[in-house]
Amino acid sequence: MSTERGIRPSAARTTDLLPRLRSDLTRAKFTVGSLEELWGADAAAALHRGERVPARRVLDARRAEHGASADLATLAELFVLGFDVPRSEAEHALPALGVDGATELGLLAPAGAADPVGDAATALDAASVRAALDLRPYTFTDAVGTVEWWILSDLGELALGHALGEHHVLGVGGASMTLSGLMLPTPAARVLDLGTGCGIQAMHATRFSAHVVATDISERALRLAGLNVELNGIDGVEFRHGSLFEPVAGERFDRIVSNPPFVITPRVVGVPEYEYRDGGMVGDALVEAVVRDAAAHLEPGGVAQLLGNWEYRATDDGLERVREWAGGLDHWIVERERQRITEYAETWIRDGGTRPGTPDFDRLYEAWLDDFDARGVREIGFGYVLLRRPAAARSVAPLARLERRHGALGNDDAPLGVHFAACLDAHDRQAALGDEEVAALRLTVAGDVTEERHFWPGDEHPTAMLLRQGGGFGRTIGLDTGLAALVGACDGELPVGAIIDAVAQLLDVDESELAAELLPAVRGLIDDGILLLPAE
């Protein structure tokens, strides 16, 4: 390992120290559930908002009552809340690793150190110690089961007490959790994690692939990612240093996942460029580069999934710009949010630790607005991009979905990646069928779908009929009388064509005309996961 910024042990020494740390964390029950039980739901919610005072007050009030949870409380104060603790308590909480081992690993530094990361290797003669790295538990449930890991990253603003450094390595945040939930849970021979950061996406990818290549432009990020993989006993991850696709030139993968540094940042002197979020390009050019270059690194049938921002310039539609970047790839692009440029600037200036009301905040705000004005940008979109390289001999119509889903998603517990995978499979199956074959299908309504009917008081007939999807994207589909009748009859017994014939007779309309109207709608409901195809 390099000696840079507190990560100092040799590879052999790290291999010796990390199992000891894992043993101590397991012994103390340093898990998400245990911490929430330790300080309660209110304090846990405050921590999610970046406020640690409620958790500290709970720990102070219960200090004499900790008993068996004393070591858990010590680890929580050190690594989650970022407080100093007596060296003796740290020794007790880390009996296998010890304070000296934690210092060698770069986890601890003397209390009061001006630079806890840089001073992590200083001899710990002080009576108290503090964290030099962020270490916290992480849990996640995917299609395979429940994950319990620990994640190392750089100290956040809360522990540092000041703005983040430009080489900061981010831990697990909202964006990374979003992407991991989007991953298709289907087997893949080789996966590329482009811009791995702390390694969380690569770790998730090992759940369905035996070989993952993780790249990053930051050597420090690669070292921390390597520690996380080893700490959690994960095999099959290969780390490579370099920018974007440079480390994998000429290679192809079955799956690409990326939470790229997509934040749109002014390229002027005096504006910090954080490696974990800023790709060094103007505007949304980095996301464009990833989308355009993905085709050259996907195997036929391979899928790339990434998060991104895109600009709405003057009269240009941001989503249409992303569609253009996708070129000849199959694509499913979902815009989840759109922000005015003022909101966007405020969000990311604050993210770096610069507080509103300060001269630095105002200076950065001016720089952001000047940058947007120079390109005529009025809004910024954020969302998910799924790309697929067509198979060598395409047998179905291209997948080309472009949609805005700015509201709440479905509320079931399944990760969205499960829904994506099911919808992709359903699309491919129905797209390969002619209308006569679709008419011969015996479909069923998904179990999470409900129907609503709204009436004016006293009216016999509904004024509005809606299908509501409980999971997935939580879609709401408007129905006319014919489609409502068709969906209501889809119980797996009758073919679609027979249902259409019966509805046509009921409504006294031409059967072929009704079929021409309803079959495209049926295909759309299959694509959305609302109507289910029979098992193959």
Side-chain angles (χ1 to χ4, degrees):
M1 305 292 285
S2 167
T3 60
E4 180 188 355
R5 288 174 56 84
I7 304 177
R8 292 172 168 78
S10 66
R13 183 63 174 148
T14 298
T15 301
D16 177 58
L17 293 173
L18 286 174
R20 299 185 195 179
L21 174 60
R22 183 164 60 245
S23 173
D24 288 336
L25 298 177
T26 302
R27 171 185 166 275
K29 298 181 180 179
F30 190 55
T31 66
V32 171
S34 294
L35 288 178
E36 291 187 351
E37 183 178 348
L38 181 67
W39 45 49
D42 288 346
L47 280 171
H48 283 298
R49 299 191 299 270
E51 300 295 340
R52 62 183 176 178
V53 171
R56 179 58 186 268
R57 286 171 61 86
V58 171
L59 293 187
D60 285 345
R62 297 180 57 190
R63 189 167 300 279
E65 306 171 8
H66 283 322
S69 65
D71 290 340
L72 174 63
T74 297
L75 296 176
E77 287 187 292
L78 268 174
F79 297 116
V80 179
L81 303 185
F83 291 118
D84 300 347
V85 305
R87 178 182 175 122
S88 60
E89 292 184 11
E91 289 281 12
H92 195 276
L94 298 167
L97 181 63
V99 168
D100 289 342
T103 306
E104 185 179 355
L105 198 54
L107 284 177
L108 296 179
D115 177 8
V117 176
D119 294 343
T122 305
L124 292 180
D125 296 327
S128 297
V129 296
R130 65 183 301 187
L133 288 173
D134 187 287
L135 170 62
R136 61 186 64 210
Y138 169 74
T139 187
F140 184 86
T141 300
D142 61 11
V144 180
T146 298
V147 175
E148 291 278 359
W149 288 329
W150 299 284
I151 304 297
L152 287 159
S153 62
D154 276 330
L155 295 172
E157 179 193 348
L158 197 66
L160 291 172
H162 56 73
L164 304 178
E166 293 184 61
H167 301 291
H168 179 83
V169 178
L170 190 67
V172 178
S176 56
M177 292 177 69
T178 295
L179 181 59
S180 63
L182 291 172
M183 281 192 196
L184 303 182
T186 50
R190 296 185 77 221
V191 176
L192 170 63
D193 176 15
L194 189 74
T196 192
C198 71
I200 189 63
Q201 306 305 331
M203 293 165 68
H204 273 282
T206 62
R207 305 275 286 171
F208 54 82
S209 177
H211 186 198
V212 178
V213 176
T215 69
D216 207 286
I217 197 171
S218 166
E219 292 184 355
R220 177 167 178 78
L222 292 174
R223 286 191 287 274
L224 279 171
L227 288 177
N228 285 324
V229 165
E230 193 169 351
L231 173 62
N232 292 285
I234 295 172
D235 297 320
V237 182
E238 175 188 351
F239 294 101
R240 300 186 193 176
H241 178 253
S243 177
L244 298 180
F245 290 102
E246 290 175 1
V248 293
E251 296 182 55
R252 289 183 177 177
F253 298 84
D254 302 284
R255 196 77 46 79
I256 298 172
V257 295
S258 182
N259 180 14
F262 57 73
V263 175
I264 298 167
T265 304
R267 301 302 166 200
V268 296
V269 176
V271 176
E273 294 187 14
Y274 299 102
E275 284 183 335
Y276 73 89
R277 72 180 204 191
D278 303 324
M281 298 185 187
V282 174
D284 54 18
L286 183 130
V287 176
E288 178 181 359
V290 175
V291 172
R292 289 189 183 278
D293 293 345
H297 297 278
L298 284 172
E299 295 283 5
V303 172
Q305 293 180 275
L306 63 140
L307 306 181
N309 276 168
W310 37 85
E311 296 181 337
Y312 284 77
R313 302 174 181 173
T315 58
D316 289 348
D317 184 291
L319 272 183
E320 289 294 339
R321 296 179 66 240
V322 185
R323 184 206 297 272
E324 180 187 344
W325 302 342
L329 293 178
D330 286 355
H331 54 270
W332 186 353
I333 303 162
V334 182
E335 182 177 271
R336 290 288 295 127
E337 182 182 3
R338 198 188 310 174
Q339 283 188 322
R340 301 297 297 178
I341 57 174
T342 47
E343 295 176 277
Y344 189 86
E346 292 163 14
T347 296
W348 292 109
I349 296 169
R350 183 65 190 87
D351 177 79
T354 304
R355 297 184 178 277
T358 63
D360 276 347
F361 189 94
D362 292 347
R363 176 181 58 80
L364 293 173
Y365 208 159
E366 292 277 5
W368 244 276
L369 296 184
D370 286 345
D371 180 61
F372 288 137
D373 285 348
R375 291 189 306 282
V377 179
R378 53 189 174 85
E379 290 181 302
I380 306 296
F382 166 82
Y384 321 145
V385 178
L386 185 149
L387 308 168
R388 183 172 63 177
R389 183 178 177 184
R394 182 192 287 276
S395 59
V396 300
L399 173 70
R401 300 195 66 169
L402 207 67
E403 55 183 323
R404 292 178 173 89
R405 308 297 307 172
H406 291 179
L409 297 175
N411 57 9
D412 66 352
D413 294 330
L416 199 53
V418 174
H419 179 72
F420 263 114
C423 289
L424 286 175
D425 179 67
H427 166 80
D428 291 347
R429 289 178 61 190
Q430 69 84 7
L433 302 176
D435 283 350
E436 290 185 0
E437 293 169 301
V438 172
L441 294 172
R442 289 172 167 81
L443 304 177
T444 55
V445 180
D448 64 336
V449 174
T450 56
E451 181 183 314
E452 293 182 8
R453 298 193 176 208
H454 299 264
F455 297 81
W456 289 114
D459 280 4
E460 179 182 358
H461 300 291
T463 57
M465 294 179 288
L466 304 171
L467 288 181
R468 293 197 183 275
Q469 185 178 49
F473 282 104
R475 298 177 187 278
T476 299
I477 308 293
L479 301 172
D480 60 19
T481 302
L483 187 57
L486 187 153
V487 172
C490 284
D491 58 4
E493 296 295 326
L494 290 175
V496 169
I499 297 173
I500 291 176
D501 290 346
V503 172
Q505 293 180 29
L506 182 66
L507 299 178
D508 193 22
V509 298
D510 182 81
E511 295 172 1
S512 59
E513 291 182 1
L514 185 63
E517 175 187 335
L518 292 184
L519 286 178
V522 167
R523 290 183 185 272
L525 293 178
I526 292 171
D527 283 357
D528 290 341
I530 291 175
L531 289 179
L532 304 182
L533 294 164
E536 290 185 303

